[in-house]
Amino acid sequence: MLEKALKGSKKYYGWIAALLAVIGVGFACYLWQFQFGLGITGMSRDVSWGFYIAQFTFLVGVAASAVMVVLPYYLHNYKAFGRITILGEFLAVASVTMCILFIFVDLGQPTRVFNVLLHPTPNSVLFWDMIVLNGYLFLNIIIGWNVLEAERNNVAPPSWLKPLIYLSIPWAVSIHTVTAFLYCGLPGRGFWLTAILAPRFLSSAFAAGPAFLILLCMLVRKLTKFDPGREQIQSLAKVVAYAICINVFFFLCEVFVVFYSRIPEHMDHLVYLFAGLHGHNALVPWMWASMILMVVSIILLVNPATRKNETTLVAACITVFIGTWIDKGLGMISGGFVPNPLHHVTEYVPTIPELAISIGVWAIGFLVLTALFKIAVSIKEEVSGVS
Amino acid sequence: MEESSRRTFLKLAGFSALGLGAKPVLDAFASSGGEQSKPMVMKGADALKAKRWALVIDTRKFESEKDLEPMIEVCHKIHNVPKLANKRHEIKWIWTEEFKHIFSTQTHAFLNDRVKHLPFLTLCNHCEKPACVRACPTKATFKREDGIVLMDFHRCIGCRFCMAACPYGSRSFNFRDPRPFIKETNLKFPTRMKGVVEKCNFCAERLAVGKVPACVEVSKGALAFGDLEDSKSKVRELLSSNFTIRRKPALGAGPSVFYIV
């Protein structure tokens, strides 16, 4: 089936070339970082994780969201999603690929990465994160590939696949839960030290991921002869609507606990993010933008008229994606480090090479996504005889 | 000699870090090699030993930054701690903080002037239940059986999970090659490479040859170092005769550094 990714229109090749160019720039910057050290980034002694780990956190969510198409189809026999499960699974593959790369580029000594396997340490959450992320990657590759091949040959998927599919459902929940546990089990970081962190991560994941999938479905419909279907898109839109409401609700739960209890170690981080602390306020406009975007998206998604209208639905999905990205990909990580455990305020701003490396990793993700979607859509076209 | 002592040291360290998981290994050693193979005998004859090392800092004996400088200087000098101009990349093993920062959860607006403006020595607490050790995915940071929390600079992958985990901000990361920024290299202690984490080691290398930590040695009696489990030790004597505090006691990490205020 791989050959399908190699045959395409001029536009297709142009897009691939553009991605490769972006990857090239990112790779060059990575070589610079490899040579100099992480000092070329904006990270510091006080804010020791930055953009890379934030992107990783956000993308784990996008990856986990594949379960939102797999679960209704396989557990509730919701037939309509059978058409697009492969798109959800391949989106997960691309997202987990990016997650793993973002962790890798964040390492100070990347050549020693296999120490994690040589000296397995079950008391470290990072050890479990490695297991669940790699497991999820393989599950989705195996499931996606075999289901697609069966569809191409017009036969039922092999029976040994069913247990793996069922396993992939709780596994999707696990990847984001374990990722939240990286943060929420740390004693000195009040911003993350909350049991609602994993649920918050999951709710924003189930909003951002399906929202992105809707946009991809519409793009596929526009660019190819395969139509993922209006019903499918509308059902996904309801998932996004519920998830983004729950996400904002969970956030408000956190806000209540923090501000009603008024415990400084928990409160100061939120104050820093939304009002600024001791004159430091780089993230304030971003955080409010995130809140406004999420509220706007709720209005657009809960209202049936704007949800059913595909133009406003696109707008809603973009606002969900950007809103949750700012929340997790920007505020969630550096917010936990400011102020630091000694109550000093050191702000974090990513540098240009750091952003170039990040965009390079995103481009690798899009390259994987493009190739996998090309394969999936080509097979779908072939099967339905429209190609 | 240097290389083999490093290995011995790491072996010792590895055993203690493995904790429960290492039991079968120890048993295997015991049955095949007997007494000789037990890790304890690998310690030097002059080595200072304790069940749990602790440091008591008598802050009443300090008045200003100047009184603390010799301790910071000697530590950073013998441990090849680089001096980086960029604050973001700063490496420090021991430094000073105001009360409101070092005891951020115990401060209030009406502290007396002495305490308010007094610089407090800040360093790794060598916790009883270190969060950094719990977080490390490679056991590059580990707790030794004498309570000292150490770093294996050669195993660390630079993920900085330990830095996020440490509730005291005691850890530094080498954001760039530190070697050009070491004024005078002490060849008896390893320099670090870029991309690894480091912190105070309670002078484990000095204890191994029978010397107390360097900061204690130059403190003119303001710092006391000893075994917390030994009721006759100097630190226990100070703890029983003075009121002492530790940083962020509510977290339950159990710091081994005590402050007489």
Side-chain angles (χ1 to χ4, degrees):
Chain A
M1 293 195 289
L2 263 178
E3 76 280 359
K4 297 281 180 197
L6 300 172
K7 281 181 288 180
S9 62
K10 270 199 175 142
K11 255 192 190 163
Y12 175 73
Y13 285 123
W15 168 244
I16 299 279
L19 286 176
L20 287 174
V22 176
I23 293 168
V25 174
F27 187 69
C29 287
Y30 181 70
L31 289 180
W32 178 18
Q33 179 185 295
F34 186 78
Q35 198 269 328
F36 184 91
L38 282 162
I40 69 161
T41 70
M43 288 184 268
S44 60
R45 194 182 187 279
D46 286 344
V47 186
S48 46
W49 281 337
F51 213 67
Y52 300 147
I53 293 299
Q55 302 313 297
F56 149 76
T57 308
F58 177 73
L59 286 165
V60 171
V62 177
S65 67
V67 75
M68 284 291 118
V69 282
V70 171
L71 188 147
Y73 178 59
Y74 287 104
L75 288 191
H76 298 282
N77 204 21
Y78 178 58
K79 291 274 193 286
F81 272 177
R83 239 175 126 74
I84 56 166
T85 46
I86 187 69
L87 300 184
E89 283 155 357
F90 280 174
L91 173 59
V93 171
S95 305
V96 179
T97 306
M98 286 188 265
C99 292
I100 293 170
L101 284 172
F102 270 118
I103 296 223
F104 185 79
V105 299
D106 188 66
L107 294 180
Q109 279 293 328
T111 57
R112 295 180 188 166
V113 63
F114 287 111
N115 278 3
V116 179
L117 298 174
L118 284 171
H119 311 286
T121 312
N123 50 270
S124 172
V125 184
L126 209 56
F127 168 80
W128 294 104
D129 214 36
M130 173 200 70
I131 290 176
V132 292
L133 281 177
N134 283 295
Y136 195 63
L137 179 64
F138 288 119
L139 276 176
N140 278 289
I141 291 176
I142 293 166
I143 294 167
W145 200 261
N146 280 289
V147 169
L148 192 63
E149 197 152 47
E151 189 176 335
R152 186 189 201 184
N153 300 330
N154 209 8
V155 293
S159 56
W160 56 263
L161 211 56
K162 262 285 161 69
L164 292 187
I165 291 169
Y166 291 136
L167 180 64
S168 80
I169 293 168
W171 203 288
V173 179
S174 85
I175 63 168
H176 222 17
T177 305
V178 173
T179 301
F181 285 1
L182 285 175
Y183 309 109
C184 68
L186 304 178
R189 310 280 177 182
F191 184 56
W192 301 327
L193 191 66
T194 165
I196 200 91
L197 201 69
R200 257 183 88 188
F201 274 22
L202 284 164
S203 60
S204 82
F206 295 152
F212 192 57
L213 196 55
I214 289 175
L215 297 172
L216 288 173
C217 284
M218 292 191 176
L219 206 62
V220 163
R221 184 161 66 188
K222 215 174 147 187
L223 296 176
T224 73
K225 294 188 189 88
F226 170 64
D227 182 4
R230 186 179 157 79
E231 185 195 340
Q232 284 77 356
I233 288 174
Q234 282 302 316
S235 298
L236 277 177
K238 281 178 206 149
V239 171
V240 180
Y242 277 111
I244 192 70
C245 291
I246 295 171
N247 186 45
V248 171
F249 168 68
F250 282 170
F251 171 71
L252 293 175
C253 289
E254 178 70 18
V255 168
F256 170 78
V257 170
V258 163
F259 285 100
Y260 197 83
S261 69
R262 304 204 74 78
I263 300 173
E265 296 96 277
H266 295 265
M267 200 167 57
D268 292 338
H269 302 277
L270 274 173
V271 171
Y272 164 69
L273 287 174
F274 285 91
L277 195 67
H278 308 315
H280 299 275
N281 49 19
L283 284 173
V284 173
W286 289 94
M287 294 316 290
W288 283 107
S290 165
M291 283 303 122
I292 292 165
L293 288 170
M294 286 200 241
V295 170
V296 168
S297 69
I298 287 178
I299 295 168
L300 289 175
L301 286 164
V302 171
N303 183 351
T306 44
R307 189 178 64 239
K308 284 175 184 157
N309 177 323
E310 290 202 346
T311 315
T312 40
L313 179 61
V314 167
C317 288
I318 293 173
T319 48
V320 165
F321 195 77
I322 299 175
T324 49
W325 179 82
I326 295 171
D327 180 33
K328 250 157 125 185
L330 214 55
M332 183 59 71
I333 303 309
S334 45
F337 285 107
V338 186
N340 81 350
L342 289 140
H343 218 275
H344 289 296
V345 180
T346 307
E347 282 199 296
Y348 162 78
V349 181
T351 60
I352 304 275
E354 190 176 6
L355 291 175
I357 293 170
S358 302
I359 293 168
V361 174
W362 275 90
I364 293 175
F366 273 98
L367 186 68
V368 173
L369 187 71
T370 305
L372 291 176
F373 268 43
K374 176 74 173 51
I375 293 170
V377 169
S378 301
I379 303 277
K380 297 264 187 193
E381 286 175 340
E382 192 182 290
V383 171
S384 58
V386 290
S387 67
Chain B
M1 165 75 212
E2 278 290 320
E3 178 59 21
S4 76
S5 66
R6 190 182 91 81
R7 294 208 150 256
T8 324
F9 158 73
L10 286 180
K11 252 188 221 159
L12 259 173
F15 281 133
S16 57
L18 277 161
L20 269 180
K23 204 169 179 305
V25 185
L26 284 171
D27 288 344
F29 260 94
S31 57
S32 61
E35 283 297 303
Q36 254 184 342
S37 301
K38 280 193 179 165
M40 281 312 288
V41 294
M42 289 192 248
K43 283 204 168 173
D46 308 327
L48 297 180
K49 299 177 193 82
K51 285 208 176 88
R52 184 181 165 196
W53 287 115
L55 181 70
V56 177
I57 301 174
D58 189 347
T59 65
R60 296 169 305 188
K61 296 192 172 147
F62 300 124
E63 273 170 23
S64 68
E65 209 64 59
K66 230 179 77 201
D67 302 328
L68 299 162
E69 262 165 24
M71 285 160 253
I72 297 166
E73 213 162 282
V74 70
C75 167
H76 287 180
K77 198 174 160 204
I78 65 167
H79 293 122
N80 295 320
V81 175
K83 206 159 183 68
L84 291 144
N86 187 341
K87 193 111 170 60
R88 288 191 296 122
H89 301 164
E90 193 178 20
I91 311 270
K92 46 190 180 184
W93 284 27
I94 180 167
W95 70 101
T96 62
E97 293 281 352
E98 285 182 329
F99 189 91
K100 66 176 177 186
H101 289 297
I102 185 170
F103 294 107
S104 58
T105 54
Q106 288 137 282
T107 189
H108 61 82
F110 309 101
L111 289 172
N112 69 36
D113 275 351
R114 183 186 73 85
V115 171
K116 198 190 275 177
H117 302 295
L118 187 69
F120 285 81
L121 276 181
T122 312
L123 67 160
C124 171
N125 278 303
H126 297 275
C127 300
E128 195 183 352
K129 293 170 191 156
C132 54
V133 172
R134 209 150 56 231
C136 178
T138 62
K139 305 182 193 83
T141 193
F142 52 89
K143 197 175 104 173
R144 233 163 50 156
E145 68 274 321
D146 59 1
I148 298 182
V149 176
L150 281 179
M151 271 299 302
D152 182 345
F153 308 123
H154 300 84
R155 188 185 281 191
C156 174
I157 61 171
C159 71
R160 312 188 294 299
F161 202 0
C162 57
M163 294 176 80
C166 175
Y168 303 105
S170 297
R171 294 175 160 262
S172 306
F173 178 73
N174 286 282
F175 280 94
R176 58 185 304 180
D177 181 12
R179 284 159 191 155
F181 303 94
I182 302 167
K183 220 188 249 164
E184 219 180 305
T185 306
N186 170 19
L187 296 175
K188 288 186 179 155
F189 196 80
T191 55
R192 272 73 67 193
M193 68 203 308
K194 66 171 182 259
V196 298
V197 172
E198 59 180 83
K199 62 166 198 74
C200 157
N201 66 348
F202 255 6
C203 280
E205 83 285 2
R206 287 171 59 93
L207 297 174
V209 293
K211 293 180 190 165
V212 296
C215 58
V216 178
E217 192 176 77
V218 302
S219 71
K220 294 178 190 153
L223 270 55
F225 191 73
D227 190 352
L228 203 57
E229 306 275 308
D230 175 5
S231 57
K232 291 184 198 78
S233 69
K234 176 82 181 149
V235 291
R236 282 290 292 276
E237 190 193 311
L238 282 168
L239 290 175
S240 58
S241 55
N242 294 281
F243 175 70
T244 47
I245 56 172
R246 294 191 288 180
R247 296 173 65 192
K248 300 190 180 180
L251 298 182
S256 300
V257 177
F258 298 79
Y259 295 83
I260 302 171
V261 184

